């Protein structure tokens, strides 16, 4: 042991003396203070008005002075609550005192739309020395949002109302954002987004990372960041921790050439006290203005020690190293507190999978009806809200079933009589899905799994009298083990009598009142058993059952609200660790999310945190809606283009289908899934296992009327996917891409295989691919052009 330690010390000393010390990312603060025009924070009842409605941050919880996050040291007020501390974006222009090439831009911000958890696109316009511009789209989160699904990097336990005199116990947040800047030209000024009344963007601190514009013969490497993650892989029978290292080439993109790029196998190793690299990270190409994210697999890291990052070329020679990076040990046991659980992240398999199928199936699949712009799975809610002819669902119900039929009378008609788990799984597989998420209990409280002594309101006791979830999960595990298994679970229930104590908003709890004023006055809650507390005796046991009895890999909660999720998450994660697999939990479980879940919407720009968009195949329903014409469903084109767009921005796509009450996936839905699957079969290599490209998700300047091409990357390739068929024998991309002479570009097709195509760049670095109209006709839905790097050595 001692000899080993001595060897480590000696080798570190040797490395020190020989290797080039790689710097960290540089940054320069921008002078925002002169523009400050708003006071966000109150202290001791001072009269701040952050949102224009008299509400303010509780200043005593905000960090003061220099504030370090992700390698940038921002500036915050030395004392909050004593004057203006932020600027409201309102089309102001901030000129740089010296024009300079810029690699990356960083801000601390908060949106002020109280109570709205959704994000708003805000556009910064960057102006360069030659007059050209770049738009940076910030999807801004609001300072608080119900139900607190998007926590920022700075959080306070409450905010102050009425100019600091009373408290609102919703958590508030300040958020951080970093993004790539074009470095074709020096940057001269930044114009802030135009003001959006009622939804304003507040800027607290801003910085940029300059490029290195030396005339270099060789890349200008820096370490952008390292992150000791909760992700791991088994390497020779032990659990190795993934350490994600991000390396940047700080030269401006305009200097792209063979000489300024890395274009051969480079490895990254990390060492430190007790720490060993068991599988080095590998990257092959790094052009000017770009960044590469690489996982290094390590063992033995100890929290509180420092690590050294070493980069070697293909000959094994050290090209640079960097020391002093803080290590964090791999979590091997989670405890029920936010500090422990916040360390958890989406696993590697989830990040690579990209595409999942969501299944809304339950009692609502029997009436299977909603007017346009309502969810069919919300049938029971709209039947009661409002309980009169201004609700289309109430009218539909009266006309179709009469006033003596109640929602629970549908339970026997949710038969699952044609449900065939093998057929479903086979379809998901051919559709190209890498995971699925089954609704196991929606807001109507009807479960599709064995709920034991908590309630008899389940498919095991009522309706089909089958454990539908077990059938699906067992079949998936046996027949399609490569498809990961997830569960949706609604935390609240609309009309559960035991939820009345906790009810809020559209989830009041308490028995539903008969909407037709017939008898009974209050509807039954079929299957209800006496329990004393909804959270402790029903919600938590259900969630634990899904985790420990069904071994779900994705806990996809809905709605949030009262919960015991800290206790749940610790057991969920520890159970998975003991079983040797990795799991994840979304942001609707009320606490400690791994990923966010935009619903029927996507983002305009790359989000570096994990996210997943869900949408029904129906234009506005997750559950089957027989009032929708099947021609309105998302077809192969829409599915593929939505998926590629999301993946180019670092998201996953969870596409929902609604089976019938008998358990059939109707032909139009199945066919559209198969259309998309047929494309993924030959072009999936531009989707699965890819990553977003640091510089941008898409062509920033497509011709008018043409959808911008999307980009994805792998360590040895770069994909360009267009949504409009290239015309005039050319595809032009208005952006310098990480390509070098000798790279081979192929159009991915099914019929005739991959077609190699000639390509060139013009004097501005734009890419031109020659592709004939005949080749273009080989493809449907989207055109995937894959460039394979021509590496040195
Ligand atoms: C707020 O009050 C506390 C306690 O009276 C005091 O210590 C603190 O300095 C005050 N803060 C400001 C900003 O006035
Ligand atoms: C923003 O400022 C520019 C000039 O800097 C001006 O042309 C434009 O009209 C302004 N936009 C709004 C909405 O005021
Ligand atoms: C701007 O350039 C001048 C002259 O090169 C230099 O003295 C000054 O420090 C620079 N200012 C900034 C903010 O970089
Ligand atoms: C907060 O104070 C401002 C002026 O200081 C006043 O205009 C506003 O009405 C106050 N708001 C509330 C909610 O008290
Ligand atoms: C959150 O804010 C809303 C609107 O002001 C309020 O109704 C609710 O009670 C707050 N929630 C908490 C936990 O304070
Ligand atoms: C720029 O990059 C070159 C090549 O790596 C390096 O020698 C030089 O020190 C860098 N300059 C700065 C200011 O970092
Ligand atoms: C690359 O470097 C070589 C050798 O130093 C030099 O001859 C060549 O001109 C350089 N090429 C470019 C594109 O800078
Ligand atoms: C880790 O490195 C940093 C930066 O080099 C240094 O300040 C710190 O003291 C080191 N910590 C330990 C535990 O060695
Ligand atoms: C359930 O199905 C049976 C048999 O098809 C039918 O007679 C009955 O009307 C259905 N119940 C409801 C509530 O529609
Ligand atoms: C259900 O059974 C479990 C295990 O036997 C027991 O701990 C729990 O108290 C029971 N719950 C209820 C509501 O009866
Ligand atoms: C989840 O429960 C915790 C602990 O009771 C609570 O603080 C949190 O606000 C809940 N989450 C939501 C979204 O209500
Ligand atoms: C697919 O759906 C899109 C959007 O609704 C539509 O524009 C397109 O024509 C459809 N394609 C086919 C082949 O039906």
């Amino acid at each position: 042991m001692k000899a080993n330690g001595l060897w480590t010390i000696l080798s570190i000393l040797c490395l020190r003396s020989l290797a080039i010390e790689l710097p960290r990312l540089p940054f320069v603060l921008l002078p925002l203070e002169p523009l400050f025009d708003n006071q966000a924070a109150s202290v001791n009842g001072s009269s701040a008005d952050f949102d224009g409605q008299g509400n303010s941050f509780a200043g005593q919880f905000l960090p003061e002075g220099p504030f370090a996050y992700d390698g940038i040291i921002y500036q915050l007020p030395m004392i909050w609550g004593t004057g203006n501390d932020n600027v409201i974006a309102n089309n102001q222009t901030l000129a740089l005192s010296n024009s300079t090439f810029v690699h990356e831009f960083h801000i601390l911000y908060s949106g002020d739309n109280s109570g709205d958890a959704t994000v708003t696109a805000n556009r910064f316009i960057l102006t360069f020395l030659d007059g050209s511009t770049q738009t940076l789209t910030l999807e801004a989160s609001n300072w608080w949002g119900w139900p607190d699904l998007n926590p920022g990097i700075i959080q306070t336990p409450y905010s102050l109302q009425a100019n600091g005199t009373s408290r609102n116990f919703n958590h508030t947040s300040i958020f951080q954002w970093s993004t790539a800047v074009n470095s074709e030209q020096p940057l001269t000024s930044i114009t802030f987004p135009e003001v959006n009344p009622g939804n304003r963007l507040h800027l607290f601190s801003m910085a940029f990372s300059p490029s290195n514009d030396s005339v270099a013969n060789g890349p200008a490497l820096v370490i952008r960041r390292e992150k000791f993650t909760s992700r791991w892989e088994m390497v020779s029978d032990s659990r190795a921790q993934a350490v994600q290292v991000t390396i940047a080439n700080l030269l401006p993109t305009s200097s792209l050439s063979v000489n300024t790029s890395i274009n051969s196998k480079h490895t990254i190793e990390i060492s430190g006290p007790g720490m060993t690299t068991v599988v080095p990270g590998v990257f092959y190409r790094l052009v000017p203005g770009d960044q590469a994210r690489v996982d290094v697999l390590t063992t033995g890291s100890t929290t509180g020690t420092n690590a050294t990052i070493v980069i070697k070329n293909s000959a094994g020679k050290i090209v640079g190293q960097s020391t002093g990076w803080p290590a964090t040990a791999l979590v091997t046991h989670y405890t029920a507190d936010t500090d422990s659980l916040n360390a958890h992240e989406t696993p590697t398999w989830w990040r690579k999978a990209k595409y999942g199928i969501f299944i809304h199936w339950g009692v609502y699949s029997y009436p299977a009806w909603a007017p346009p712009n309502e969810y069919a799975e919300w049938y029971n809610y709209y039947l009661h809200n409002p309980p009169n002819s201004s609700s289309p669902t109430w009218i539909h119900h009266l006309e179709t079933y009469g006033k003596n039929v109640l929602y629970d009378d549908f339970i026997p008609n949710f038969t699952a009589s044609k449900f065939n788990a093998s057929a479903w799984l086979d379809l998901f597989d051919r559709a190209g899905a890498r995971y699925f998420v089954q609704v196991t209990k929606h807001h109507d409280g009807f479960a599709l799994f064995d709920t034991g002594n908590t309630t008899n309101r389940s498919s095991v006791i009522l309706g089909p009298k089958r454990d539908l979830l077990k059938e699906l999960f067992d079949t998936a595990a046996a027949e399609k083990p490569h498809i990961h298994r997830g569960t949706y679970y609604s935390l609240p229930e609309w009309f559960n009598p035991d939820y009345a104590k906790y009810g809020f908003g559209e989830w009041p709890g308490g028995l539903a009142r008969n909407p037709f004023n017939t008898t009974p006055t209050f509807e039954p809650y079929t299957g209800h058993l006496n329990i004393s507390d909804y959270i402790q005796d029903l919600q938590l046991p259900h969630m634990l059952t899904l985790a420990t009895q069904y071994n779900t890999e994705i806990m996809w909660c809905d709605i949030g609200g009262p919960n015991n999720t800290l206790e749940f998450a610790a057991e969920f994660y520890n159970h998975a660790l003991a079983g040797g697999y990795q799991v994840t939990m979304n942001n609707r479980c009320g606490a400690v999310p791994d990923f966010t879940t935009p619903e029927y919407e996507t983002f305009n720009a790359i989000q570096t945190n994990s996210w997943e968009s869900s949408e029904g195949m129906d234009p506005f329903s997750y559950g089957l809606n027989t009032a929708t014409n099947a021609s309105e469903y998302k077809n192969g084109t829409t599915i593929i283009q939505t998926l590629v767009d999301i993946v180019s921005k670092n998201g996953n796509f969870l596409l929902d289908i609604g089976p019938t009450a008998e358990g059939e996936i109707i032909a139009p839905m199945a066919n559209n899934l198969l259309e998309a699957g047929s494309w993924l079969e030959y072009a999936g290599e531009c989707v699965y296992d890819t990553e977003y490209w640091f510089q941008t998700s898409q062509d920033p300047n497509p011709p008018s009327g043409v959808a911008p091409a999307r980009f994805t990357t792998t360590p040895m390739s770069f994909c360009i996917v267009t949504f409009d068929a290239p015309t005039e024998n050319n595809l032009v991309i208005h952006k310098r891409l990480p390509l070098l002479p000798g790279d081979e570009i192929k159009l991915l097709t099914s019929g005739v295989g991959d077609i190699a195509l000639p390509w060139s760049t013009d004097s501005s670095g734009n890419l031109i691919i020659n592709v004939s109209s005949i080749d273009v006709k080989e493809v449907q839905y989207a055109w995937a052009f894959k460039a394979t790097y021509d590496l040195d050595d």
Side-chain angles (χ1 to χ4, degrees), residues 142-166:
N142 289 307
W143 70 314
W144 67 266
W146 181 88
D148 199 13
L149 299 176
N150 200 359
I153 58 159
I154 297 172
Q155 288 185 61
T156 74
Y158 57 82
S159 59
L160 299 169
Q161 300 172 309
N163 292 338
T165 56
S166 64

Side-chain angles (χ1 to χ4, degrees), residues 180-196:
V181 172
N182 282 348
S183 49
E184 290 291 320
Q185 282 280 323
L187 180 66
T188 57
S189 69
I190 301 173
T191 301
F192 297 168
E194 289 169 4
V195 74
N196 188 349

Side-chain angles (χ1 to χ4, degrees), residues 250-274:
L250 279 193
L251 296 178
T253 56
S254 54
S255 71
L256 188 146
S257 78
V258 183
N259 292 5
T260 56
S261 302
I262 280 182
N263 191 39
S264 60
K265 182 176 178 178
H266 279 59
T267 55
I268 304 183
E269 293 171 30
I270 303 186
S271 59

Side-chain angles (χ1 to χ4, degrees), residues 352-357 424-436 480 482-484 639-640 643 653 655 670 672-682 684-685 687-689:
K352 293 183 166 204
K354 309 297 184 191
Y355 184 35
I357 303 288
W424 281 22
L425 263 311
D426 195 50
L427 175 65
F428 301 163
D429 198 19
R430 287 162 69 208
R434 293 280 167 97
Y435 61 100
F436 68 84
K480 304 286 179 187
H482 57 286
I483 299 183
H484 291 273
I639 295 168
I640 289 302
L643 172 63
F653 186 30
L655 174 65
N672 292 0
L673 288 180
L674 292 173
E675 281 187 6
S678 71
W679 187 91
L680 286 164
E681 215 163 89
Y682 62 83
E685 59 198 277
V687 173
Y688 308 120
D689 306 335

Side-chain angles (χ1 to χ4, degrees), residues 30-37 86-96 105-108 121-127 134-136 138 189-196 201-207:
L30 283 160
L32 269 192
E33 292 82 353
L35 299 174
F36 279 179
D37 58 3
N86 74 91
V87 49
I88 297 171
N90 185 17
N91 200 30
Q92 302 93 329
T93 292
L94 183 64
L96 272 60
F105 171 70
H106 318 279
I107 65 172
L108 292 184
N122 281 275
R123 294 185 173 81
F124 290 83
I125 309 292
L126 307 190
T127 304
Q134 178 186 12
T135 301
L136 298 181
L138 161 65
S189 69
I190 301 173
T191 301
F192 297 168
E194 289 169 4
V195 74
N196 188 349
L201 177 67
H202 296 248
L203 309 173
F204 292 92
S205 184
M206 223 180 223

Side-chain angles (χ1 to χ4, degrees), residues 43-44 79-80 82:
V43 172
N44 299 347
I79 307 176
W80 290 95
T82 53

Side-chain angles (χ1 to χ4, degrees), residues 24 304-307 323-326:
R24 295 173 187 226
T305 61
N306 275 338
T323 54
W325 294 92

